[in-house]
Amino acid sequence: MIRYTEKIRQAARQLLESGKVDVFIGFRKGTVPMMSEPTLIRNAQAAETLHWDSNCGINLANYLPKRSERIGIVAKGCDSRNIVTHIVENQIRREQLIIVGVPCEGMVDRRKVTRMAGGDILDVVEEESRIIVTGKAGQQTFDKKDVLQENCAICIHRNPVVYDELVADLVEEQKDVDRYEDIRAIEDKTPEERWEYFQKLIEPCIRCYACRNACPLCYCPTCFVDESKPQWLGKSIDRTDTMTFHFLRAYHCAGRCTDCGACERACPVGIRVRKFTKKLEKDIKELYDWEAGLALDERPPLDRYRPDDPNGFIL
Amino acid sequence: MEGNYYARRKFALLKNLLEYIGIEPGRLHFSWISSAESTKFQRVAKEVSDAVQAVGPANKLIKELAEVA
């Protein structure tokens, strides 16, 4: 995937030089291993700083809402679906965008690599399907497919759904993936067990809101957790407040979440927050046969109805 | 009229999500009752009350910290 870098630089240089875009949004290498970071560049020389590898998991669509310039943006499958969501929700206009599509083969979970390497990592070299890691214990080689982010391992939309140019040929989509195995396992528990499970899941939460900030769906000018009149939600790390925050955050993403994994990636204490959003994603698919971000000309599921929607729960 | 249909979708998801995180099924109820359906209102109110009593006191989602005045 590393070979995409040169193509992305070329595309950015060309777009900025020709004046087709005012700003180009992509990734640059981070200051520590496995932490590529988003960058906005405004002149063609800066295209040299652009970078692409398997650590570009943050969702760039997050940088689009309310921008008025013409924008070039790098988009893998999930970014592109969130771009579609932004267009549908009037956060950005399609005409403003030149989308440089990246057929994605999955992003690496840096926590998994660190765990498998047995401690701090000093350097990482990426080859086609291998990750060569240098840690304090020496050099180790991992198969990339063994260290993918959980959401990437079950991804069925690796190719961008909208794009103006592509940096490589489209990749083959994964088939016969069971996307909701973990959610079903939770659903099979008793209510008491589920409550315990989620209490334990959110226990380390420090209410830093990194999950919210990394999420391209969270763009409200004032978030419900920040409002003080009325105060919908307590600010403490009382478990009730924390729980309410997590399930309401997930609920706000219903029918919009593309399971890009940016929330989990951003969490400083490693909470698997996708356990909340994925349930809604599953329900939306099962009840309303909808997957977010695939169509520019359809209203999202909570902005629509069918008279014969599932009804069994109504007294 | 339409609002009921939109609400139905949102409600189905909310009910599933609450049950998923471990709130007992039977705490949350939803019904469509016209102002002309007094007998239905009575029946539903009783059903809701019975169902909630059967589950017992709600001990989840209660704050443990004292509120600051």
Side-chain angles (χ1 to χ4, degrees), chain A residues 161-180:
Chain A
V161 293
V162 284
Y163 52 83
D164 298 297
E165 47 188 287
L166 279 176
V167 299
D169 293 334
L170 295 177
V171 295
E172 201 182 329
E173 296 288 1
Q174 305 194 98
K175 297 205 174 63
D176 306 318
V177 196
D178 186 357
R179 285 185 52 74
Y180 303 114

Side-chain angles (χ1 to χ4, degrees), chain A residues 27-41:
Chain A
F27 283 92
R28 67 180 169 206
K29 224 168 158 48
T31 47
V32 290
M34 292 192 289
M35 291 286 263
S36 297
E37 60 191 12
T39 182
L40 279 71
I41 59 171

Side-chain angles (χ1 to χ4, degrees), chain A residues 5-60:
Chain A
T5 298
E6 200 40 52
K7 291 279 180 54
I8 292 171
R9 286 179 186 170
Q10 261 172 32
R13 207 177 294 128
Q14 195 259 323
L15 288 173
L16 286 162
E17 259 167 13
S18 64
K20 280 192 188 148
V21 301
D22 305 311
V23 58
F24 190 89
I25 309 179
F27 283 92
R28 67 180 169 206
K29 224 168 158 48
T31 47
V32 290
M34 292 192 289
M35 291 286 263
S36 297
E37 60 191 12
T39 182
L40 279 71
I41 59 171
R42 290 177 188 278
N43 60 64
Q45 293 83 43
E48 294 311 308
T49 62
L50 292 171
H51 179 70
W52 188 269
D53 58 18
S54 296
N55 302 296
C56 298
I58 287 292
N59 195 324
L60 291 180

Side-chain angles (χ1 to χ4, degrees), chain A residues 183 186 191 194-195 198 238-241 247 251 275 283 288 301 303-307 309 311 315, chain B residues 2 5-6 8-14 16-17 19-22 30-31 60-65:
Chain A
I183 302 299
I186 300 173
R194 272 175 280 163
W195 182 256
F198 281 107
D238 180 291
R239 64 194 181 113
T240 298
D241 288 337
F247 83 68
Y251 191 59
K275 293 281 182 272
D283 281 1
Y288 310 119
D303 196 23
R304 276 195 298 178
Y305 64 84
R306 282 194 315 261
D309 278 339
N311 211 13
L315 288 175
Chain B
E2 284 184 9
Y5 286 131
Y6 290 121
R8 179 168 61 180
R9 285 199 166 190
K10 288 174 185 140
F11 198 88
L13 294 171
L14 179 64
N16 285 356
L17 183 61
E19 287 177 10
Y20 173 72
I21 62 165
F30 188 53
S31 185
K60 292 163 184 157
L61 293 177
I62 293 177
K63 287 194 38 171
E64 288 158 346
L65 301 179

Side-chain angles (χ1 to χ4, degrees), chain B:
Chain B
M1 237 343 255
E2 284 184 9
N4 290 327
Y5 286 131
Y6 290 121
R8 179 168 61 180
R9 285 199 166 190
K10 288 174 185 140
F11 198 88
L13 294 171
L14 179 64
K15 186 173 168 66
N16 285 356
L17 183 61
L18 282 171
E19 287 177 10
Y20 173 72
I21 62 165
I23 304 292
E24 302 89 343
R27 281 215 190 281
L28 193 68
H29 298 269
F30 188 53
S31 185
W32 287 348
I33 308 172
S34 132
S35 57
E37 297 178 306
S38 58
T39 45
K40 182 174 180 187
F41 181 80
Q42 190 205 20
R43 176 174 63 79
V44 171
K46 188 165 184 318
E47 278 172 24
V48 171
S49 165
D50 290 348
V52 174
Q53 276 183 38
V55 200
N59 299 318
K60 292 163 184 157
L61 293 177
I62 293 177
K63 287 194 38 171
E64 288 158 346
L65 301 179
E67 273 199 38
V68 179

Side-chain angles (χ1 to χ4, degrees), chain A residues 143-212:
Chain A
D143 212 337
K144 189 175 142 183
K145 68 178 190 322
D146 297 331
V147 290
L148 283 183
Q149 277 182 202
E150 275 179 34
N151 63 310
C152 297
I154 54 155
C155 176
I156 51 169
H157 296 287
R158 294 181 146 185
N159 291 306
V161 293
V162 284
Y163 52 83
D164 298 297
E165 47 188 287
L166 279 176
V167 299
D169 293 334
L170 295 177
V171 295
E172 201 182 329
E173 296 288 1
Q174 305 194 98
K175 297 205 174 63
D176 306 318
V177 196
D178 186 357
R179 285 185 52 74
Y180 303 114
E181 197 183 358
D182 53 338
I183 302 299
R184 277 197 307 274
I186 300 173
E187 286 169 344
D188 288 343
K189 296 173 195 276
T190 66
E192 213 48 55
E193 286 168 347
R194 272 175 280 163
W195 182 256
E196 288 307 317
Y197 174 86
F198 281 107
Q199 292 298 314
K200 215 166 149 31
L201 185 78
I202 59 159
E203 206 164 40
C205 181
I206 52 172
R207 295 288 292 277
C208 67
Y209 303 141
C211 48
R212 176 193 72 177

